[in-house]
Amino acid sequence: MKRRKLLMPAVASLLSFTLFSSGGSSFAAAPSHVQLNGAAPIAAKHGKLIDHTSRSTKSSLTIALKLRNSDQLDSFIASLNDPSSPNYKHFLTPEEFKQQFGPTDETVANVKDYLKSQGFKVETISSNNAFITVSGTTGQMEDAFSVTINNYKNSNGQAYFANDKAPEIPAEFAGVITDVEGLDNESRYTHPQIRKPSPQVSNKPAAVEPRVGSGPSGGYTPAELKGAYNVSPLASAGYTGSGQTVAVMELDGYVASNVTNYSNYYGLGSPAPTNVYIDGFNGAACEGQVEVELDIEVINAIAPKAQVIVYEGPNTGQGLIDTYQKIATENKAKSISVSWGIGEQHASTASMNSLHTIFQQYATQGQSIFAASGDNGAYDSGGSTLEVDSPANDPYVTGVGGTHLNLSGSSYSSESIWANSSNKTGGGGGLSTLYAMPSFQSGTGVQNSYSNGKRQVPDVSADADPSTGYSIYSQGAWTVVGGTSAAAPLWAGIAALNNQYAAANGKGNLGQANPTLYKMFNTTQTYPAYHDVTSGNNLYYPATAGYDMASGIGTPDAYNLVRDINGSSGGSGGGGTVTELITNGGFESGQSPWTESSTGGYQLIDTSRPHTGSSSAYLNGYNSSTDTIYQTVTIPSTATSATLTFWTYVSTTETSHAYDYLYAQVRNTSGSALSTLLTLNDGTATGWVQRSYSLLNYKGQTVQIAFKGTNDSSNPTDFFVDDVSLKVQ
């Protein structure tokens, strides 16, 4: 399936011209010119030349210039994430960013003088002094930048104009001007989302369309997503995104009534989104409507009380830059979701450098940005060349990959990498060709056989397979969608919950997410924050233990992650002593205090396949069997958290499914099940997978933590359990 190409609104009637600036260059009359580095034309290369664009046409441009003190910016951002630094979490305001890193007034004046000399009218200067907007004609564009502007038509039938070669700039501004955007107006940024028709409207037989999830037309509901990624304990404690703002960067519009219907049906009570229009965009919903509504609705599902601001600009190079910059200038949202992108090898280096400077500003201001990694697996543009997606490739962006999510009831069961070789879709990931591997990107699996010193994508993942998709309301109907464009807003919603939790506990916002997320991955934490996805591949890169370029460092256990990040565990905040209630959870000290039973009379604690150490619990593996092992614990009535974790391994000889089962249960002291936390069967065979559940609902009770396995009369299945832990605080 090809990635969706989105329509661009009508070309604006005025020429808007934007610049980044740095240093103090002086303008000289009749300067010599040099070609702008990294700005080779993209649009003209894949379109059919029609004719020359009229020189009187009014259109738009964006030029980027280097920030002041840019050589100090990376180290300053690093200090914001260093607990030992006096700058730790002391984020800047946009005005402070301007004072420290924005272009000087002298530089801006010099650039303005040059633009005026070329006949352009200066319209605005951005609040951080980094952008100058001007208006003019195509003829002025051609003369000022020594290009020819022609009309083209691409393979999608889109008519557009574009420059025939890289722009030239005055030599005095070499190293100051870094990008010129808007010399073309082709709509080439895509929203990596795969839509799956609902069973109710499909022409296929109902049996062919699996109905996963309990949405009206299938698909996972907000409650199921919260259960899967352990958001529910946060919601129960009142962390619903209240007081937080999440931005979505969009290059298309949406219909507000669809979002309202979603919120009302699921009883979310979400505030209506607010809209900010950029570069004359009118908010009309075009081909990308489903994608925009998906972004908003997934955020509402995870952080229902957060305010969503929809920043909408035209789908052009200038529209992209100006929309991102508007989010930085307003600085209202501390969590940002992006589902629009382009293959790294299909964007100019100059354009990506412009984005990079904006993302640096986000980092200084404590803004987290999560971007979809693409829906074509390791081949971002859908061809045969390995390629990652921009902006997920940028080190200041958290790239979000995709998985196939299985639930047990409404709780997490297992995940594998999303990939479909028949239509060449899957979670994006791989190696950047532009960015070096950042220092924070380390840990088990990072130095792999593919590692070449470059940035690796993705950083994290979440459900994205359309066959285990999301229930959303769009275009007046319920449907099911998937794609990494659903995984990115899910993570942005979790970031909003984290920021609410942090504020309640006297902590700072998450800010640039990657250093913190990798720290949680690389250092021992109180609670397991991630599900390590170890099964499948993204059409090229395989899942492995630890980090891999198919799933990053894994998918979130939100409750654990938020508590680990903020160094506390109670639903109402605070510290406290962590107590382990399970004794001999690794089965290294024999049977005591576990109680076990086996229809075959086997000793269940066995050395066949331990996760760690030398032993694990080995259930079944023989026909017509029922094996059970449990331990009795008392959860204190004063507990503010109670987190059960354990690891499972399933191996089977069954050739059809499902006949053999493993259950993880909370039981009363008489052995009756109070809750079945996890159900696995012979069809879910996989390597070691960690599970995590909150048992806070059982505080003040004495309960059994039990594991029960059953096999039918043929083709036995082995179930292993190890490293059981129940930590309370």
Side-chain angles (χ1 to χ4, degrees), residues 223-486:
E224 288 168 330
L225 293 172
K226 290 175 183 175
Y229 293 120
N230 206 20
V231 175
S232 299
L234 290 168
S236 298
Y239 297 106
T240 57
S242 179
Q244 301 300 311
T245 300
V246 182
V248 289
M249 198 293 298
E250 304 291 355
L251 301 178
D252 209 324
Y254 71 101
V255 176
S257 61
N258 289 323
V259 176
T260 300
N261 284 334
Y262 178 86
S263 176
N264 290 345
Y265 181 85
Y266 286 119
L268 302 177
S270 299
T274 59
N275 305 318
V276 177
Y277 300 127
I278 293 94
D279 290 352
F281 183 68
N282 62 8
C286 298
E287 285 191 12
Q289 174 186 345
V290 176
E291 291 93 325
V292 180
E293 290 163 1
L294 168 67
D295 290 346
I296 300 168
E297 291 175 11
V298 172
I299 291 169
N300 287 348
I302 300 301
K305 300 302 182 182
Q307 178 64 59
V308 177
I309 302 180
V310 187
Y311 290 85
E312 301 175 54
N315 188 359
T316 64
Q318 181 207 357
L320 185 81
I321 297 293
D322 289 354
T323 304
Y324 276 119
Q325 180 59 35
K326 186 69 171 179
I327 298 173
T329 299
E330 291 198 340
N331 194 30
K332 292 180 178 179
K334 295 305 179 183
S335 178
I336 304 163
S337 177
V338 178
S339 295
W340 299 80
I342 188 171
E344 184 183 71
Q345 298 167 40
H346 290 72
S348 72
T349 302
S351 176
M352 286 187 285
N353 286 342
S354 296
L355 292 177
H356 186 69
T357 60
I358 299 173
F359 300 150
Q360 288 176 309
Q361 183 173 355
Y362 289 168
T364 67
Q365 296 176 173
Q367 296 175 285
S368 310
I369 174 170
F370 300 87
S373 67
D375 288 354
N376 296 106
Y379 308 93
D380 188 68
S381 296
S384 58
T385 301
L386 295 173
E387 184 178 16
V388 295
D389 196 70
S390 169
N393 64 334
D394 193 288
Y396 285 107
V397 176
T398 300
V400 185
T403 66
H404 174 103
L405 171 67
N406 296 311
L407 298 186
S408 175
S410 60
S411 298
Y412 184 88
S413 176
S414 65
E415 281 174 285
S416 56
I417 304 302
W418 165 42
N420 186 331
S421 59
S422 64
N423 61 14
K424 296 183 179 179
T425 59
L431 292 164
S432 170
T433 60
L434 178 64
Y435 296 109
M437 183 183 292
S439 60
F440 61 74
Q441 192 161 44
S442 62
T444 302
V446 172
Q447 295 299 328
N448 52 57
S449 60
Y450 307 98
S451 181
N452 62 356
K454 293 294 188 179
R455 158 86 163 133
Q456 298 181 15
V457 182
D459 298 296
V460 293
S461 288
D463 182 40
D465 190 340
S467 68
T468 59
Y470 295 64
S471 168
I472 73 163
Y473 192 88
S474 183
Q475 298 177 318
W478 288 100
T479 188
V480 179
V481 298
T484 55
S485 57

Side-chain angles (χ1 to χ4, degrees), residues 639-653:
T640 56
S641 69
T643 304
L644 173 69
T645 61
F646 55 90
W647 292 76
T648 62
Y649 188 106
V650 181
S651 176
T652 188
T653 59

Side-chain angles (χ1 to χ4, degrees), residues 60-135:
S60 58
L61 285 176
T62 298
I63 297 178
L65 304 162
K66 190 177 181 181
L67 293 172
R68 179 164 49 101
N69 300 326
S70 59
D71 58 331
Q72 304 171 27
L73 188 49
D74 286 336
S75 60
F76 174 76
I77 294 171
S79 73
L80 296 174
N81 297 297
D82 181 1
S84 66
S85 169
N87 293 329
Y88 182 59
K89 299 290 185 182
H90 290 172
F91 301 119
L92 303 183
T93 65
E95 179 61 28
E96 289 171 333
F97 181 83
K98 171 188 174 182
Q99 292 172 357
Q100 295 188 39
F101 301 105
T104 65
D105 291 339
E106 180 185 6
T107 297
V108 173
N110 290 335
V111 174
K112 285 172 57 181
D113 287 345
Y114 172 70
L115 295 173
K116 288 178 179 179
S117 75
Q118 299 302 301
F120 295 113
K121 178 184 177 182
V122 176
E123 300 288 353
T124 61
I125 300 171
S126 65
S127 63
N128 61 3
N129 244 15
F131 285 91
I132 300 172
T133 304
V134 302
S135 58

Side-chain angles (χ1 to χ4, degrees), residues 634-679:
T634 299
I635 301 176
S637 60
T638 56
T640 56
S641 69
T643 304
L644 173 69
T645 61
F646 55 90
W647 292 76
T648 62
Y649 188 106
V650 181
S651 176
T652 188
T653 59
E654 292 282 10
T655 56
S656 59
H657 312 289
Y659 299 101
D660 306 328
Y661 293 89
L662 174 70
Y663 307 94
Q665 298 177 323
V666 179
R667 310 192 310 191
N668 62 23
T669 53
S670 299
S672 298
L674 300 174
S675 175
T676 298
L677 305 174
L678 172 69
T679 302

Side-chain angles (χ1 to χ4, degrees), residues 580-597 603 605 628-634 703-706 724:
E580 175 62 72
L581 297 186
I582 294 291
T583 301
N584 190 26
F587 306 102
E588 301 300 306
S589 302
Q591 180 175 318
S592 180
W594 294 96
T595 300
E596 62 177 49
S597 63
Q603 168 57 249
I605 297 176
T628 304
I629 188 168
Y630 70 88
Q631 184 173 145
T632 302
V633 297
T634 299
V703 296
Q704 296 176 358
I705 307 301
V724 184

